[in-house]
Amino acid sequence: MTLDWGVVSRSWHLLMEGTRLTLGLFAAAILLATVVGLLLAVMKLSPIAPFRWLSTGYVWVFRGTPVLVTLFFAFFVLGRELGLSPFWSGVLGLGVDGGAYKAEIIRAGILAVDPGQEEASMALGMTKRHYMRRIIIPQAIRVIVPTYMSNAILLLKATSVAVGIGLVELTGITRQLSNSTFQPIELFTAAAVIYLALTTALVIAQEVLERRFVLKI
Amino acid sequence: MAPLVRIEGLKKSFGDVDVLKGVDFTVDKGEVVSIIGPSGSGKTTMLRCVNLLERPTGGRIEVDGRVLCEEQLDGSMRFAGKGKIREAREHVGMVFQRFNLFPHMTALQNVVEAPMAVKGTSRSEAEATAHDLLESVGLGHKADAYPLQLSGGQQQRVAIARALAMQPALMLFDEVTSAVDPELAGEILLVMKRLAEGGMTMLVVTHEMGFAAEVGDRVLFIDHGEIVEQGRAREVLSRPQHPRTAAFLKAVLERAPMEEEDEPARAPGEIERLQREEFKRTQLQIEGEVGHEEG
Amino acid sequence: MDWDLVWESLPLIWKGAGATISLFAWSLLFGTLGALALALMRLSSVKALRWFAAFFGWLFRGVPLLILLFYAFFALPEFRIGPIDGIFLPAFRAAVLGLSLWTAAYQAETIRSGLLAVDPGQEEAAVALGMTRRHYMRRIIIPQGVRIMIPPYMNLAMTLLKQTSLATLVTVPEMTLLTQRIFSNNFQFVEPIFALAMLYLAMTTALLAVQQVMERAFRLRV
């Protein structure tokens, strides 16, 4: 087998352009997902029943359908109606889908705090507002942040699904290059290495945060 | 007659924290030896070294004629082979502070599991013995209960029966009443007392001074990883020779906290390990609830 | 939205359900077997095995599934070493290969952390009773670990089911591909996509029900 790695360096600037688009999608989608997730988590923990139902229904639908289908909806339906660019359709689809997971992480983190903490706070006469802010949330954060990070790795990888709506991010550009140069091994290996570098960086960030949040309490 | 347990120069450190700094003692057959001392003194670690649940970093341990580990001339440790250690453990029963019953098995199944698996005892024989043992700890009627259905005191008595089912030559007790309500401690201590009267060799880490005085033949007082004083139980407890022993006993009697130096009850590495374990458990549970994004 | 069109799309898309389900079933089977092997390696005392399993996990969890699928479908045919003159896998098998590798990498972690999450006191008690490692793993640790593993395992299975939709990009005629065929013919987008979402939702909800049954079956009896 003769591999010609020159093709990677010749198309390096295109791969980097794809990587930039991947990172852009990732950053915008995680922001949107966080906003959606916070909103849903607050609704889920609210005393008003319809809010809770809405939040539960949302999570059920988006956890139960593939992100590709959500992207189809965002691109072919909403994108056309609202005149969104493919990039923003992608952000919308990934963010709306990711929000369901973020909501569950935030909620689970809050519920993971020992109920004795709430009782103790109430016994001390603290208001709910006060003990959520000062007692519960600081403890929940140390569970939420590391999970959030490992979830972020999945979201980064999920951006590749945007190929399905024609976005030319890292996976898309690699497929195009591979079709035109007939050198799939070299190009897909290069893409895999770039993805590995990005996800490994996130893994390292996760471990640093884990040490900071878990062990230094 | 050679002693059943012979410990020489036992050392154990976690990282740079020296928990045991060279401990010597022996236990004769049929003797009941209580180990007392403030928390963080190293008494539990010492007990766990006897069946090598904790690997010593120095010294020599001999149990029932088997050398489990021995420090070499160059300071390195030589441990007995896996098979030999396991064989020794068959003859050393242990009861834990937190019971450690197998939650997915009934009381009876907990008791028969090891004899059947390790000694190859037949089921009918193992079950007959188990029923007798449960009867003797006053739980004959709870044979089919699962651990979660039992009170702390009952769980601990099942744990004692489980250890006895292996017909051990020596029993190790690690603060077995600390995790149960005070009014339930009595039923556990009663079982232990009867066991002692039956001639069992026992090594007991305890905070129950009454038990140590009444049932124990000898007492070891350990502090800061060293045996400070040892002797006949009643003598040490009523007329301690060493000021540290006297201070400790006074504090226990008055139920006042000992003035301790800034020594951590757990080594830092241990704390980190516990935190990590707890954290991983929570993460796994959350993963189960949250589900996975694709990618 | 035209409900008649939704109704008409359902049977057309359902024709791909067989492919979706068999992609899922085969990948879950091979992936779980691989995961068991990897988890054993990860817990083994042989360093080389531990490293291999850790490397495998890092590699296949660090790369998007889509790259794995494209690799299996586009790159393997170009693979020529010695007597091997390109590995040609039909689309379906290429997809099963990629999905299985993905499943193995993720489920191995579930199995490993499930076993590690069993209270360490359980192992100590078993060791103190003189049980062999082989025996107490089988009788004490694994039965308790399985109970802990069920929710994360089933969650990953659900994700796998959803991931089969990506096989559409390597031309496997499963539900998503058939949906694309419908809307690229009639340019009616909402209805077929809605129908597709409903079918997936029904399947994943069925899996959730299976999970609840399993959790009940493995519940601690008290």
Side-chain angles (χ1 to χ4, degrees):
Chain A
M1 183 160 66
T2 48
L3 292 177
D4 169 25
W5 293 100
V7 69
V8 174
S9 59
R10 281 194 297 279
S11 41
W12 187 249
H13 62 288
L14 289 173
L15 290 173
M16 280 301 107
E17 220 163 88
T19 308
R20 264 195 295 280
L21 190 57
T22 291
L23 289 175
L25 265 176
F26 169 66
I30 203 168
L31 264 176
L32 178 60
T34 304
V35 173
V36 173
L38 275 172
L39 208 71
L40 288 169
V42 169
M43 281 166 70
K44 181 83 190 221
L45 297 169
S46 132
I48 301 161
F51 280 170
R52 292 202 302 271
W53 298 335
L54 200 64
S55 174
T56 308
Y58 184 102
V59 170
W60 172 64
V61 168
F62 286 100
R63 266 182 66 181
T65 49
V67 69
L68 183 57
V69 177
T70 313
L71 283 169
F72 277 176
F73 205 83
F75 181 70
F76 291 114
V77 181
L78 293 180
R80 296 170 147 240
E81 302 275 330
L82 308 174
L84 290 177
S85 69
F87 175 81
W88 288 108
S89 297
V91 170
L92 185 66
L94 289 167
V96 155
D97 188 82
Y101 298 93
K102 304 287 180 245
E104 288 291 279
I105 293 170
I106 295 167
R107 190 183 68 95
I110 289 172
L111 293 182
V113 177
D114 178 1
Q117 296 290 311
E118 182 167 0
E119 283 171 14
S121 311
M122 287 197 289
L124 287 166
M126 294 183 193
T127 61
K128 174 154 185 166
R129 199 191 164 75
H130 181 85
Y131 68 68
M132 281 306 282
R133 201 163 49 84
R134 296 280 303 160
I135 311 292
I136 309 294
I137 290 176
Q139 293 184 64
I141 290 272
R142 81 192 175 94
V143 178
I144 292 172
V145 167
T147 317
Y148 214 81
M149 289 300 294
S150 62
N151 196 261
I153 296 169
L154 291 166
L155 183 58
L156 177 72
K157 294 198 294 167
T159 57
S160 66
V161 181
V163 173
I165 56 169
L167 272 176
V168 219
E169 39 63 79
L170 180 52
T171 305
I173 194 81
T174 310
R175 189 172 64 163
Q176 282 187 5
L177 286 166
S178 139
N179 284 345
S180 55
T181 62
F182 302 107
Q183 289 180 299
I185 296 184
E186 295 88 333
L187 288 163
F188 281 117
T189 304
V193 169
I194 295 172
Y195 274 115
L196 274 172
L198 297 177
T199 49
T200 305
L202 281 176
V203 169
I204 292 170
Q206 180 193 358
E207 264 163 28
V208 170
L209 280 170
E210 209 174 288
R211 204 150 292 155
R212 176 152 154 44
F213 278 94
V214 179
L215 302 174
K216 300 279 188 301
I217 41 164
Chain B
M1 193 179 64
L4 192 65
V5 180
R6 184 195 288 278
I7 308 274
E8 285 162 7
L10 180 64
K11 288 190 197 119
K12 172 71 187 178
S13 37
F14 294 99
D16 47 7
V17 182
D18 296 326
V19 179
L20 294 175
K21 300 170 184 164
V23 171
D24 303 276
F25 69 94
T26 58
V27 181
D28 286 330
K29 199 164 184 319
E31 241 191 333
V32 176
V33 178
S34 308
I35 304 168
I36 61 171
S39 63
S41 60
K43 51 190 193 305
T44 288
T45 306
M46 189 168 98
L47 192 75
R48 289 164 58 87
C49 282
V50 176
N51 62 354
L52 286 195
L53 279 186
E54 216 68 82
R55 295 206 143 207
T57 41
R60 181 174 186 278
I61 298 176
E62 185 184 332
V63 178
D64 204 7
R66 296 178 184 84
V67 179
L68 298 185
C69 65
E70 194 161 21
E71 193 172 333
Q72 305 295 296
L73 285 175
D74 62 0
S76 67
M77 287 300 287
R78 210 174 104 189
F79 290 91
K82 258 188 186 172
K84 201 170 170 195
I85 292 176
R86 208 178 48 69
E87 195 183 294
R89 283 174 178 151
E90 283 177 39
H91 299 276
V92 180
M94 184 162 189
V95 185
F96 299 85
Q97 184 176 353
R98 303 236 25 117
F99 328 136
N100 293 344
L101 288 181
F102 306 133
H104 56 309
M105 298 178 175
T106 63
L108 188 74
Q109 288 168 338
N110 262 281
V111 179
V112 299
E113 181 69 24
M116 285 172 59
V118 180
K119 294 181 137 183
T121 314
S122 73
R123 175 173 292 277
S124 58
E125 195 186 328
E127 286 189 349
T129 316
H131 275 295
D132 289 347
L133 282 169
L134 287 173
E135 203 68 58
S136 74
V137 298
L139 289 171
H141 59 299
K142 292 285 188 189
D144 295 323
Y146 284 90
L148 287 177
Q149 293 169 306
L150 299 173
S151 74
Q154 290 171 330
Q155 288 191 53
Q156 196 60 293
R157 285 185 282 151
V158 173
I160 293 174
R162 178 176 72 175
L164 289 175
M166 293 296 287
Q167 296 169 310
L170 167 72
M171 286 283 283
L172 308 176
F173 292 86
D174 184 13
E175 301 197 27
V176 294
T177 54
S178 305
V180 300
D181 293 336
E183 74 267 26
L184 300 179
E187 63 194 36
I188 298 170
L189 294 172
L190 188 68
V191 168
M192 289 168 68
K193 187 178 169 209
R194 281 211 221 105
L195 203 56
E197 285 163 0
M200 176 62 77
T201 314
M202 294 163 58
L203 201 47
V204 185
V205 170
T206 188
H207 288 300
E208 305 277 350
M209 295 307 144
F211 176 86
E214 192 190 343
V215 181
D217 298 309
R218 256 191 314 141
V219 162
L220 306 180
F221 173 68
I222 181 165
D223 194 12
H224 294 105
E226 291 164 325
I227 295 182
V228 176
E229 183 169 354
Q230 58 174 310
R232 299 192 59 79
R234 279 166 211 270
E235 278 165 29
V236 172
L237 293 173
S238 54
R239 286 185 299 279
Q241 301 299 306
H242 199 284
R244 261 147 81 186
T245 320
F248 170 74
L249 290 173
K250 186 162 176 281
V252 171
L253 280 179
E254 292 169 2
R255 297 198 175 270
M258 268 282 276
E259 274 189 43
E260 276 186 52
E261 288 155 43
D262 280 348
E263 189 195 20
R266 291 183 206 275
E270 170 86 351
I271 296 173
E272 182 170 331
R273 189 180 62 80
L274 286 174
Q275 279 183 330
R276 267 194 187 284
E277 271 168 13
E278 189 241 79
F279 178 71
K280 288 285 166 212
R281 260 194 287 276
T282 322
Q283 291 294 306
L284 196 66
Q285 194 196 342
I286 287 179
E287 227 165 81
E289 286 168 17
V290 171
H292 252 270
E293 242 159 322
E294 303 141 71
Chain C
M1 192 157 67
D2 181 352
W3 288 98
D4 288 340
L5 204 52
V6 173
W7 207 240
E8 283 166 29
S9 309
L10 277 173
L12 294 176
I13 300 172
W14 183 250
K15 281 189 189 148
T20 294
I21 292 169
S22 48
L23 274 174
F24 167 71
W26 285 114
S27 309
L28 189 63
L29 177 68
F30 293 137
T32 304
L33 291 177
L36 279 172
L38 286 169
L40 283 179
M41 287 186 207
R42 201 69 200 269
L43 298 167
S44 132
S45 51
V46 183
K47 219 176 205 171
L49 289 180
R50 285 205 305 271
W51 281 1
F52 173 80
F55 175 76
F56 187 98
W58 170 75
L59 185 64
F60 289 105
R61 291 191 298 149
V63 175
L65 174 64
L66 211 42
I67 293 281
L68 300 183
L69 294 179
F70 285 166
Y71 216 100
F73 192 62
F74 296 117
L76 283 188
E78 302 295 322
F79 210 76
R80 296 189 183 88
I81 296 180
I84 302 170
D85 189 21
I87 303 164
F88 293 88
L89 293 178
F92 182 83
R93 289 195 191 167
V96 169
L97 176 64
L99 288 164
S100 300
L101 289 172
W102 182 90
T103 309
Y106 275 97
Q107 294 289 29
E109 198 54 31
T110 302
I111 295 171
R112 189 178 80 100
S113 30
L115 291 179
L116 291 179
V118 174
D119 177 5
Q122 293 289 309
E123 181 170 349
E124 279 188 357
V127 165
L129 285 165
M131 294 182 194
T132 59
R133 184 178 155 89
R134 201 187 166 77
H135 181 83
Y136 68 71
M137 283 305 284
R138 196 167 53 81
R139 294 277 301 163
I140 312 293
I141 309 294
I142 290 175
Q144 294 183 61
V146 165
R147 193 168 298 125
I148 304 175
M149 282 170 219
I150 289 173
Y153 180 91
M154 289 303 290
N155 258 312
L156 273 167
M158 199 164 115
T159 306
L160 174 66
L161 178 65
K162 295 187 288 170
Q163 299 267 44
T164 59
S165 64
L166 297 185
T168 196
L169 293 162
V170 291
T171 72
V172 178
E174 41 68 75
M175 299 200 304
T176 309
L177 189 76
L178 297 188
T179 308
Q180 275 176 292
R181 263 188 212 156
I182 297 173
F183 66 61
S184 47
N185 278 338
N186 63 7
F187 293 98
Q188 300 287 330
F189 294 101
V190 194
E191 292 83 1
I193 295 175
F194 184 79
L196 177 66
M198 287 212 307
L199 286 174
Y200 274 119
L201 204 51
M203 287 183 179
T204 49
T205 305
L207 265 187
L208 277 179
V210 171
Q211 176 181 348
Q212 295 212 326
V213 170
M214 283 174 73
E215 278 178 36
R216 202 159 304 147
F218 280 88
R219 193 176 44 179
L220 264 191
R221 269 159 299 170
V222 284

